[in-house]
Amino acid sequence: MTEADILAGCLRQEPAAQRELYARWSDRIYRLLLRFTHNADDAADLLQETFVRVFQNLERFRGGSSLGTWIYRIAVNEARQHFRRRNRHDEILRQVVAPPPEARTGDQEAAALRMDVMAAVAQLPEEERALILLRYFEDLDYARMAEVLEKPPGTIASGLNRARRLLVEILGSGMEPAARVVKAGPGRRI
């Protein structure tokens, strides 16, 4: 089923097309929302809210971007609203606990570094967090990020530079200098 077929079927409220749309995008959107919230229940709730909005507003989709980009945009907006409603930064940071550096060895060290990165990402302001998550965890290019966030590509580039600097500052405040180069996804460096 092509994207156009799925879109047409969803507009006719065909359950098969709706299931196909959900099946194609729900895993990616859930992962994005989980990275935003650090809480499986919140991510699942936001996933549901995202797809409720998708299906409620599908007739407004004009095709100026891909359907996937439009769904990402809705998910990012849902996550932003979630944080505005609940201001959960402190709770997220309490949930992410890494062992002290002297207790880290081998796999524990890699796992602790990943937790440090996620804790640092959670400390970023919401705009910078969205940029880091979309670029390094969802592997979107600048053009796609610009579509999702509805900003010019130049704004994306400068915002991403600012987000990386902030992330390095957060990570650098309690880490060894060698540990400041962080892998945040398959083959990606921050």
Side-chain angles (χ1 to χ4, degrees), residues 11-12 31 123 126 142 164:
L11 288 170
R12 290 189 302 267
R31 284 191 310 267
Q123 291 180 55
E126 77 179 39
Y142 284 25
R164 284 190 290 249

Side-chain angles (χ1 to χ4, degrees), residues 131-132 135-136 142 145 155-164:
L131 290 166
I132 293 291
R135 178 70 182 127
Y136 295 103
Y142 284 25
M145 291 170 62
T155 302
I156 297 298
S158 63
L160 193 53
N161 285 333
R162 182 178 57 253
R164 284 190 290 249

Side-chain angles (χ1 to χ4, degrees), residues 98-172:
E102 60 274 4
R104 298 176 184 168
T105 58
D107 288 339
Q108 286 179 325
E109 188 170 325
L113 182 57
R114 282 190 300 275
M115 291 176 71
D116 288 345
V117 169
M118 291 312 298
V121 170
Q123 291 180 55
L124 291 171
E126 77 179 39
E127 286 292 322
E128 286 77 8
R129 185 177 334 124
L131 290 166
I132 293 291
L133 290 174
L134 289 172
R135 178 70 182 127
Y136 295 103
F137 291 86
E138 294 302 315
D139 203 27
L140 298 185
D141 62 25
Y142 284 25
R144 191 100 183 264
M145 291 170 62
E147 289 179 44
V148 169
L149 297 173
E150 298 178 307
K151 295 183 186 271
T155 302
I156 297 298
S158 63
L160 193 53
N161 285 333
R162 182 178 57 253
R164 284 190 290 249
R165 279 194 309 274
L166 285 170
L167 191 58
V168 167
E169 284 177 25
I170 293 167
L171 289 167

Side-chain angles (χ1 to χ4, degrees), residues 14-159:
E14 294 174 3
Q18 292 171 336
R19 281 191 299 273
E20 182 64 25
L21 177 66
Y22 184 82
R24 286 193 185 186
W25 287 100
S26 62
D27 287 343
R28 286 182 262 189
I29 299 301
Y30 175 78
R31 284 191 310 267
L32 172 68
L33 294 169
L34 184 59
R35 288 178 182 129
F36 258 102
T37 64
H38 296 275
N39 181 296
D41 292 334
D42 288 343
D45 289 345
L46 287 171
L47 179 66
Q48 287 181 351
E49 290 175 31
T50 297
F51 278 94
V52 165
R53 296 249 187 273
V54 165
F55 292 122
Q56 284 176 340
N57 295 299
L58 208 51
E59 71 281 349
R60 293 182 185 164
F61 176 68
R62 298 290 175 235
S65 63
S66 73
L67 184 58
T69 298
W70 185 70
I71 294 170
Y72 270 122
R73 184 180 306 136
I74 291 171
V76 168
N77 287 337
E78 286 299 317
R80 287 176 174 167
Q81 288 176 13
H82 169 76
F83 282 108
R84 286 185 191 116
R85 287 188 305 258
R86 298 184 67 194
N87 194 8
R88 298 190 51 185
H89 283 194
D90 292 339
E91 182 180 332
I92 290 169
L93 294 176
R94 282 193 298 273
Q95 291 174 3
V96 181
V97 178
E102 60 274 4
R104 298 176 184 168
T105 58
D107 288 339
Q108 286 179 325
E109 188 170 325
L113 182 57
R114 282 190 300 275
M115 291 176 71
D116 288 345
V117 169
M118 291 312 298
V121 170
Q123 291 180 55
L124 291 171
E126 77 179 39
E127 286 292 322
E128 286 77 8
R129 185 177 334 124
L131 290 166
I132 293 291
L133 290 174
L134 289 172
R135 178 70 182 127
Y136 295 103
F137 291 86
E138 294 302 315
D139 203 27
L140 298 185
D141 62 25
Y142 284 25
R144 191 100 183 264
M145 291 170 62
E147 289 179 44
V148 169
L149 297 173
E150 298 178 307
K151 295 183 186 271
T155 302
I156 297 298
S158 63

